[in-house]
Amino acid sequence: MTPAELSRTVLRSVRGAVEEQELSVPVPARIVVQPPPRPGCGDYASNVALQLAGPAGRPAREVAEILRKRLVGSAGIDRVEIAGPGFLNFTLGDGAQIALVRDVLAQGESYGDRSARSARSGRGVGGGGVAGGTVTDADADADADADAGPGSVTGTGPGAAAGSVRGAAAGSGTGSHASATPRGSRVSVTAPGARDVVVAEALARIEAAAGVAAHHGIRPGAGPASTPPDLDALIARLGADEARWVLLRPAAHDPVRVPERPVQRESNPRFRVQYAYARTRALVRNAGELGFASEPGEVGRPLTGGGSSSSPEDRSAPAVQPTPQQPTPPAHSLQTLQALQTLLATFPSVVEVAARLRAPDRVVRHLEATADAFFRWHDLFPPLPVGEQKPLAVHRARLALAEAGGTVLANGLRLLGISAPEHL
């Protein structure tokens, strides 16, 4: 069950309570569900009962109990609990998480992208725009009026003026320096310039993916007639992928901080996201060599011996598999699994919110969180068998979850116009 499906299920319960005169309130247009603020409160939570308590003239917990009774037993929902002054906490059934993975894999490039279901067109710098669907999300907060428009770009180190954004390679390496400013100088970019162009192109793809009316005249993939010189210089200095990432990552009101040079290691968020995607593809290839493919299912028990190395260079090393005699896994291991599943489920809602708020940095931050969650999960739930062990159903299920994670990462990167390399 996705957040959108859960939202619709809760909305139906409210509508039913109103139609049967259990509640006398206007039926809201939508119900917001989101991950709970702390572990141990289920998979998702909603404050709908608190919102309806005033119009209903009844205590929030009483309203919550009316809705809870209607929601218990709904398909995909294992438990519904009332917390605090009237919050509804939902725990999804095991089948719901399996269905999520199956849905992500079935939709593929269309997951998080309405436009991908029709003609796929529009490849911006470093890639195109794919993702799919929209869901309800609580992220439309006070910064909804933040403008994803121009901002100052500051940095140090050599600048350059070479090449075109259209002709630049979408790889993550550094470009050649046609000319340079003195080391330590301050590079200033003013509108209209690099940030305006990159943000506008990304927003065109994100708005198309979310089905939101565009606020600009750029079609997805249709870049500016000419590339601003400061963007040419940034691409020559950092490479197209890194240049786009540093321009899209800050919120609209934050300055852009340009690194001295791109770094191919975990400390670089862009590299971490691309590496996570490349790792998912490597897992699929390695599984094929071992003679098995992904199949959504139960991912089994996590490792209890501390996991494998957190370094990208060491993640291909085998990890010891758990045995039936090992104790019940700690809660943090299950929370690691849940965190990854939640990030996959909420990706479409993040795309919708990014379009509504005109904030591509929302997608950037979601990809970073997804990559980090994938690596933590991967270390505790290795998808590949070790040594002489034969591939089991649990390995196929873990591989499916890893592949679903790769789908989200690739779709998000393409929305941003950044490449999703299968080898890195």
Side-chain angles (χ1 to χ4, degrees), residues 123-140:
R123 296 278 169 177
V125 183
V130 298
T134 57
V135 302
T136 311
D137 190 274
D139 255 343

Side-chain angles (χ1 to χ4, degrees), residues 140-184:
D141 48 24
D143 63 349
D145 58 351
D147 179 17
S152 61
V153 181
T154 60
T156 59
S164 165
V165 66
R166 293 289 159 207
S172 56
T174 58
S176 60
H177 297 87
S179 62
T181 55
R183 178 172 294 275

Side-chain angles (χ1 to χ4, degrees), residues 285-307:
R285 292 193 300 271
N286 293 341
E289 294 171 358
L290 294 174
F292 74 98
S294 64
E295 176 60 38
E298 297 292 338
V299 299
R301 299 162 56 88
L303 293 175
T304 57

Side-chain angles (χ1 to χ4, degrees), residues 221-279:
S226 61
T227 305
D230 51 7
L231 183 52
D232 282 339
L234 198 60
I235 290 172
R237 171 176 160 186
L238 301 177
D241 282 355
E242 185 75 2
R244 292 187 68 86
W245 190 273
V246 299
L247 293 172
L248 291 170
R249 189 172 190 258
H253 54 274
D254 292 334
V256 172
R257 305 201 177 277
V258 180
E260 181 83 11
R261 58 184 178 274
V263 179
Q264 298 291 82
R265 59 176 66 119
E266 268 194 312
S267 59
N268 182 342
R270 186 268 312 160
F271 171 77
R272 201 161 62 244
V273 170
Q274 288 181 318
Y275 178 79
Y277 172 71
R279 179 61 182 148

